[in-house]
C-alpha cells in the first residue's frame, strides 16, 4: 500500500557543558543546574502514513492508529513499546484521543504509521540519543498527522517523556533547571570543536549513575560542606565564544560516579588530555568521553592521536541547532529512508 506522505526528521545529540546535581527530590529525580548544547551528530527518523485513502482520511478510522517501528541501531536499541520513539508517538496519539492498534497485527482497514529510526548517536552513552529520538517523533508526527499542536503542548508531552526531551525539542544552547526540563535559551557565539570518544563495552544506566552519585555524596557527608559549582564561567565563555574560558568552566558532577562504575574511564580521560584536548570530561551520565579542542583542525589532531584508543572517535562541533523536518516525496518507504 502506497503511503500518502512521509516526513524525515534529523535530530542532534547534546553535550552537557556544565552539570551540577543539587539534591534528591521526593519523586526520585534530582534537582539540576545544567548547560546543554547540541552537537552535529544526528539520528534520523522517517515517519510514513500508510493505509487505504479512506482509512487515512476518514475521521472514524483515525480513532485507531497502528504504529510500527523499525531501526538500524542493533540489539542495544529496543524495538518494543519501551523505545522512546513509540512512547512519544503513543503520548501524542493519546493527547489527540486516538487509540493505538495492535502493533503486531497492523490492519489494512485502519491507518498505520511506520517509523524508521536511523541511529548515529551512541546508545546509552550520555548524549541524549533516546531523548533526541523522542523529540524527533513529537515534531515529525505533529507534522505528518497535520496536528499543529503548538510548542507549549509539545513541550508538555516532552516533559512527560524524559528530563532531556524538552531541550531536544528546540536544541541549540540552553540553561536547564528543575529536573532539567525547565529550559531557557542562552546567548552563544561561535562554534566549539569536540572529540567524541565512545568507550568500549556496555553503556551506563542513568539511574545507576545518579544512585552512585548519591552514595558518593552521602559518603562525604559530615566532612566540610562542598559548595555547589556554578555555571558562570561557562555562560561567559558561551557569550564570548572563548574556548579557553570554556575549558576552565566545563564541569560534570556525575563524572566521579561514572568513573566509579567504569574505572577504565579514568584512563580514558587521561588519554584524551594527553592527546592535547584543552579539557576532558564525561558526557552527561557517560560513558562517552568528550575532548574540547581549540578549533576543528586541533580536534582532528586530537582524534588522530587517539586513533585505536576507543571504540570510536569522532570530531563534532557545537552548537548544532535543533530538529530539522523535511517532507519526503510520496511513495518513499519508511524502511528505506534514503
Ligand atoms: O528523565 P529520564 O527518563 O531521561 O531520566 C532517566 C533517569 O535518570 C531517571 O529515572 C532518574 O533515575 C535519573 N534522573 C534523575 N534526575 C534528573 C534526571 C534524571 O535522577 N534530573
Amino acid at each position: 500500500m502506497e503511503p500518502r506522505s512521509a516526513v524525515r526528521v534529523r535530530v542532534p545529540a547534546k553535550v552537557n557543558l556544565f552539570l551540577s546535581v543539587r539534591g534528591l527530590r521526593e519523586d526520585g529525580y534530582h534537582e539540576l543546574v545544567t548547560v546543554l548544547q547540541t552537537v552535529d551528530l544526528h539520528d534520523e527518523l522517517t515517519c510514513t502514513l500508510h493505509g487505504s485513502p479512506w482509512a487515512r482520511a476518514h475521521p472514524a478510522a483515525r480513532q485507531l492508529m497502528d504504529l510500527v517501528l523499525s531501526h538500524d541501531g542493533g540489539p542495544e536499541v529496543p524495538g518494543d513499546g519501551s523505545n522512546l520513539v513509540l512512547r512519544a508517538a503513543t503520548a501524542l496519539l493519546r493527547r489527540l484521543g486516538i487509540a493505538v492498534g495492535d502493533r503486531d497485527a497492523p490492519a489494512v482497514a485502519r491507518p498505520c504509521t511506520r517509523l524508521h529510526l536511523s541511529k548515529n548517536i551512541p546508545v546509552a552513552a550520555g548524549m541524549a540519543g533516546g531523548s533526541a529520538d523522542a523529540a524527533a517523533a513529537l515534531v515529525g508526527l505533529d507534522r505528518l498527522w497535520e496536528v499543529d499542536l503548538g510548542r507549549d503542548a509539545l513541550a508538555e508531552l516532552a516533559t512527560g517523556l524524559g528530563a532531556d526531551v524538552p531541550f531536544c525539542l528546540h536544541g541549540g544552547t540552553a540553561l536547564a533547571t528543575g529536573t532539567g526540563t525547565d529550559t531557557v535559551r542562552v546567548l552563544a557565539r561561535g562554534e566549539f570543536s569536540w572529540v567524541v570518544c565512545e568507550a568500549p563495552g556496555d553503556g551506563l544506566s542513568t539511574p545507576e549513575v545518579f544512585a552512585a552519585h548519591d552514595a558518593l555524596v552521602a559518603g562525604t557527608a559530615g566532612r566540610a560542606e562542598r559548595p555547589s559549582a556554578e555555571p558562570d564561567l561557562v555562560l561567559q565563555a558561551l557569550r564570548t565564544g572563548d574556548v579557553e574560558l570554556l575549558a576552565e568552566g566545563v564541569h560534570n558532577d556525575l563524572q566521579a560516579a561514572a568513573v566509579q562504575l567504569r574505572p577504565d574511564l579514568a584512563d580514558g580521560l587521561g588519554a584524551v588530555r594527553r592527546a592535547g584536548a584543552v579539557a576532558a570530561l564525561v558526557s552527561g551520565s557517560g560513558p562517552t568521553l568528550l575532548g574540547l579542542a581549540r578549533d576543528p583542525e586541533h580536534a582532528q589532531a586530537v582524534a588522530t592521536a587517539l586513533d585505536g584508543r576507543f571504540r570510536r572517535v569522532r570530531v563534532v562541533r557545537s552548537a548544532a541547532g535543533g530538529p530539522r523536518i523535511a517532507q519526503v516525496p510520496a511513495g518513499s518507504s519508511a524502511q528505506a529512508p534514503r
Side-chain angles (χ1 to χ4, degrees):
M1 192 113 10
E2 282 303 300
R4 180 179 63 169
S5 56
V7 297
R8 183 175 297 147
V9 187
R10 257 167 71 80
V11 65
K14 63 84 188 162
V15 293
N16 297 82
L17 305 176
F18 178 90
L19 196 165
S20 168
V21 182
R22 300 292 171 97
L24 181 60
R25 296 159 36 122
E26 283 193 348
D27 63 2
Y29 271 74
H30 294 74
E31 285 290 321
L32 304 179
V33 175
T34 181
V35 180
L36 304 127
Q37 190 164 57
T38 48
V39 294
D40 64 345
L41 193 58
H42 295 87
D43 280 353
E44 207 169 78
L45 182 70
T46 307
C47 316
T48 321
L49 187 57
H50 294 252
S52 70
W54 175 85
R56 289 186 314 236
H58 198 283
R62 294 281 191 105
Q63 298 306 301
L64 198 60
M65 172 81 79
D66 291 327
L67 293 173
V68 178
L69 173 70
S70 58
H71 68 77
D72 63 5
E76 289 167 300
V77 178
D80 61 8
S82 70
N83 189 298
L84 271 163
V85 167
L86 283 180
R87 285 183 47 207
T90 305
L92 183 53
L93 284 175
R94 271 207 200 105
R95 175 73 165 68
L96 301 171
I98 299 173
V100 183
D102 181 357
R103 268 204 315 280
D104 297 325
V108 181
R110 56 184 188 241
C112 172
T113 299
R114 291 182 185 274
L115 301 143
H116 181 77
L117 180 60
S118 184
K119 286 296 295 179
N120 194 30
I121 303 173
V123 180
M127 300 196 76
S131 302
D133 300 342
L138 289 178
V139 299
L141 295 175
D142 182 68
R143 175 74 64 87
L144 180 77
W145 295 335
E146 297 171 23
V147 176
D148 216 4
L149 203 55
R151 293 252 158 177
D152 287 350
L154 286 179
E156 200 183 305
L157 288 176
T159 299
L161 291 164
D164 285 331
V165 186
F167 168 73
C168 292
L169 267 187
H170 302 283
T173 311
L175 172 67
T177 53
T179 60
T181 58
D182 300 334
T183 61
V184 286
R185 266 172 184 275
V186 158
L187 177 61
R189 290 198 178 87
E191 285 183 357
F192 297 104
S193 295
W194 300 91
V195 182
V196 174
C197 307
E198 284 180 52
D202 293 337
L204 277 172
S205 142
T206 307
E208 281 175 26
V209 176
F210 272 100
H213 168 80
D214 291 342
L216 282 175
V217 170
T220 56
R223 296 187 210 156
E225 187 86 355
R226 191 173 49 103
S228 295
E230 295 296 344
D232 303 31
L233 271 187
V234 165
L235 296 174
Q236 196 185 334
L238 288 168
R239 224 166 30 240
T240 54
D242 184 336
V243 67
E244 302 294 341
L245 203 57
L246 184 63
E248 223 180 297
V250 286
H251 175 84
N252 183 1
D253 266 352
L254 293 178
Q255 181 157 310
V259 171
Q260 190 187 51
L261 293 171
R262 285 281 305 265
D264 58 305
L265 296 183
D267 284 347
L269 286 166
V272 175
R273 280 188 208 102
R274 281 193 302 280
V278 290
L281 74 158
V282 169
S283 180
S285 54
T288 301
L289 302 182
L290 302 171
L292 178 61
R294 281 189 294 275
D295 53 48
E297 291 72 33
H298 180 218
Q300 200 52 60
V302 173
T304 303
L306 288 169
D307 192 30
R309 174 65 181 73
F310 294 96
R311 180 160 68 181
R312 188 167 184 184
V313 176
R314 285 186 272 192
V315 170
V316 301
R317 64 171 185 86
S318 67
R324 288 247 190 90
I325 309 179
Q327 200 77 27
V328 178
S332 299
S333 163
Q335 304 291 338
R338 263 161 239 285

